[in-house]
Amino acid sequence: MTEQQPLMILVAGPYRGGTGDDPEKIAANHRAIQLACLELFRAGHLAVNGEDLALPLAGLAGSTRVGDAAFDEVFHPMGRRLVARCDAVLRLPGASAGSDEMVELARARGAAVYTGVDQVPAVSR
């Protein structure tokens, strides 16, 4: 029996998708991503999401709203760089072109893609 080591898992889910850029809906989507990260962390994995890394940088780059040039400079490129280094992607439900891209990039390099935390192998303790 082989031991399952902790995985670094990118959590990809809708951020802007389906929100019409409504700040409350975006915040709810972001919260769902963060909650999935916590669940994976509690299961023994290292969960990351591009939003929590990209948003502060976009602000420093001068972004004042979702979708402006500074936001676009950082937001999806951060996800692309992360997925290149992650062991797997957890794809949350909901329409999201960016999340679909992260799944494609993960699969292209042979990384695992999960659609539920229950699918992620348990960490040996």
Side-chain angles (χ1 to χ4, degrees):
M1 178 180 208
T2 61
E3 290 189 19
Q4 174 62 51
Q5 296 296 311
L7 300 172
M8 187 161 99
I9 302 172
L10 175 68
V11 177
Y15 180 74
R16 291 174 73 184
T19 67
D21 287 344
D22 176 307
E24 289 182 19
K25 291 179 181 178
I26 289 172
N29 283 348
H30 191 186
R31 181 82 170 154
I33 292 166
Q34 292 171 322
L35 288 170
C37 286
L38 177 59
E39 193 173 352
L40 288 168
F41 177 80
R42 286 179 171 163
H45 298 287
L46 173 61
V48 296
N49 71 79
E51 293 78 8
D52 286 342
L53 296 172
L55 291 170
L57 291 182
L60 288 170
S63 179
T64 59
R65 62 179 173 74
V66 172
D68 64 16
F71 178 93
D72 290 341
E73 174 191 6
V74 175
F75 196 74
H76 286 294
M78 178 65 75
R80 291 181 195 112
R81 291 178 191 185
L82 280 171
V83 77
R85 303 295 296 263
C86 288
D87 301 307
V89 170
L90 172 63
R91 174 61 163 97
L92 300 180
S96 171
S99 296
D100 291 342
E101 180 185 2
M102 297 308 113
V103 166
E104 287 177 30
L105 291 170
R107 286 188 173 140
R109 51 181 286 275
V113 175
Y114 305 107
T115 56
V117 173
D118 60 324
Q119 296 174 346
V120 179
V123 173
S124 301
R125 303 217 184 227

